[in-house]
Amino acid sequence: MSYLTRICGNASNWQYPTKSAAEAPDTFYSQHGYGHEEWLFRFEWQIGGWQYGFLQGVNKGWESRLARGERAGDVVLYTLTPQGRRYVARIRHIEFLDDAQGVAALDHYKRLGWYDRMLQEIDAVNGDKSGLGNGEWAPYVLNVRFRPEDVEWYPPNTFAEAGDPVQQYNRYQLIELNHEASLPETVGTRRPARTGQILPPTQDSYFTSGGSGRECSPEHGMMQAALHEELKIEFPESNIVFEENFIDVTVTTEKEKILFEVKSDFCTRRVLRLAIGQLLEYAYYWDEPSEKAVRLVAVGRTRLSPEDERYLKYLTEKLNLPLEYRRVRLPSEV
């Protein structure tokens, strides 16, 4: 599902509050001097390679959206400027957090001092920090997460032209996108045919996505805990170890060694892409092959698609790799 939503104005590329937007009197921004979205692209604040942030459009209708199973999608962001409606970025595979995820992510922010830094930056623009996370406006400081590499930027000064459907939207709402063809191209637009090109790709220097985080995300920890409970039942007499030699979970039985690599992405294709290389390296690169039979298990949150199953079947049958996929959901998804 693809959506369109407005974000507040900002002069720092949404890294910290700048009090540079002109908003209507009845908005949170006008009353408090900042918006919850102003840290959306603070890329040095990553947890396990994930960027956490807030979108007001997600905040509205949040509970009903999760109840319908709408947990992820692509979101196109635009903002209002004196020159008109400006397209900012497109974020692919963005995940809408449930309450447990939002609370866990904010706890992480507080432990690392990031939340205190947010409060300091609100003070720096003479904002009213009592509104941050105030349930009257927004019950959660963080309600989305995405991988920085999934951000596709629109070139600077990409404004909606006359007749563009975005011209009719004013409020901070998550609007289902049904006019894809009318959108301008992002810097990182993905071409369906994937045809090559004669010249090297353009290296745009005005935006950066930052590096990957080194810590595990809260979702990763939740999945490990849920997997542990399942494995204790399946392998009651076996040795279950976490984070040994960088492997998320290792189960050793009398006859086999099972390596589990956990990825909390909603996209199973990405889970397989990220996990398989790591599993192969963990199993075969560093040490002599194990005397026990080896099983390599990629762990994700969603079911395999038919394409995923066909791909995995090819790897196991044609290449004779001992690969498997296992679904482990967060407690709130059970």
Side-chain angles (χ1 to χ4, degrees), residues 266-284:
F266 259 102
C267 176
T268 50
R269 179 185 175 189
R270 171 167 285 177
V271 170
L272 295 173
R273 181 193 306 157
L274 296 175
I276 289 174
Q278 288 180 262
L279 286 166
L280 292 174
E281 180 178 314
Y282 296 154
Y284 306 120

Side-chain angles (χ1 to χ4, degrees), residues 37-315:
E37 297 159 324
E38 297 200 71
W39 296 270
L40 184 63
F41 298 129
R42 187 68 163 267
F43 285 123
E44 70 266 30
W45 289 357
Q46 291 180 40
I47 306 173
W50 290 92
Q51 184 73 25
Y52 290 78
F54 180 91
L55 290 177
Q56 178 61 21
V58 173
N59 182 51
K60 293 188 175 181
W62 167 80
E63 290 183 343
S64 60
R65 187 173 299 111
L66 291 185
R68 293 193 301 268
E70 297 177 27
R71 298 298 302 259
D74 292 359
V75 177
V76 174
L77 308 177
Y78 75 94
T79 189
L80 269 57
T81 74
Q83 294 77 35
R85 286 165 170 76
R86 180 171 78 84
Y87 285 100
V88 176
R90 181 171 194 146
I91 307 177
R92 299 191 183 263
H93 309 299
I94 193 168
E95 181 179 345
F96 311 137
L97 307 184
D98 60 32
D99 53 356
Q101 291 176 271
V103 169
L106 184 59
D107 285 345
H108 206 111
Y109 266 50
K110 290 179 177 179
R111 288 197 302 271
L112 295 175
W114 297 345
Y115 181 75
D116 287 340
R117 182 66 180 274
M118 293 170 74
L119 295 176
Q120 293 168 9
E121 290 172 349
I122 292 171
D123 284 336
V125 295
N126 296 316
D128 178 7
K129 58 189 177 186
S130 68
L132 189 66
N134 187 314
E136 181 180 352
W137 295 88
Y140 301 104
V141 175
L142 306 167
N143 65 7
V144 297
R145 71 169 190 157
F146 54 92
R147 292 191 181 274
E149 59 265 30
D150 283 331
V151 180
E152 298 178 8
W153 299 101
Y154 286 100
N157 301 319
T158 301
F159 292 96
E161 298 179 353
D164 189 320
V166 77
Q167 297 284 11
Q168 63 184 298
Y169 306 129
N170 290 312
R171 296 188 177 277
Y172 293 88
Q173 296 174 325
L174 199 63
I175 301 160
E176 188 173 336
L177 200 55
N178 54 15
H179 56 279
E180 291 267 358
S182 68
L183 292 175
E185 285 195 353
T186 61
V187 170
T189 295
R190 304 171 186 187
R191 294 168 175 79
R194 201 64 177 178
T195 56
Q197 58 188 59
I198 298 174
L199 299 176
T202 301
Q203 300 300 310
D204 297 277
S205 59
Y206 36 82
F207 293 123
T208 177
S209 293
S212 296
R214 297 181 180 179
E215 300 181 64
C216 291
S217 67
E219 290 81 3
H220 187 278
M222 293 176 191
M223 289 180 67
Q224 277 187 312
L227 177 61
H228 186 218
E229 293 303 313
E230 294 178 7
L231 294 177
K232 285 192 299 184
I233 297 173
E234 292 179 35
F235 304 97
E237 305 299 326
S238 300
N239 186 33
I240 303 173
V241 180
F242 291 83
E243 306 295 345
E244 182 179 52
N245 297 324
F246 305 104
I247 304 168
D248 283 335
V249 186
T250 304
V251 175
T252 305
T253 70
E254 291 184 1
K255 297 182 179 181
E256 61 183 359
K257 187 174 185 179
I258 314 171
L259 310 183
F260 297 84
E261 182 62 27
V262 176
K263 300 297 178 186
S264 60
D265 300 72
F266 259 102
C267 176
T268 50
R269 179 185 175 189
R270 171 167 285 177
V271 170
L272 295 173
R273 181 193 306 157
L274 296 175
I276 289 174
Q278 288 180 262
L279 286 166
L280 292 174
E281 180 178 314
Y282 296 154
Y284 306 120
Y285 187 86
W286 295 107
D287 302 317
E288 292 294 326
S290 173
E291 295 181 359
K292 297 176 181 288
V294 174
R295 289 166 53 193
L296 308 178
V297 185
V299 181
R301 292 166 59 187
T302 51
R303 294 186 180 89
L304 292 175
S305 69
E307 293 79 12
D308 298 327
E309 291 179 344
R310 185 170 61 247
Y311 173 60
L312 200 58
K313 183 178 180 181
Y314 178 87
L315 295 177

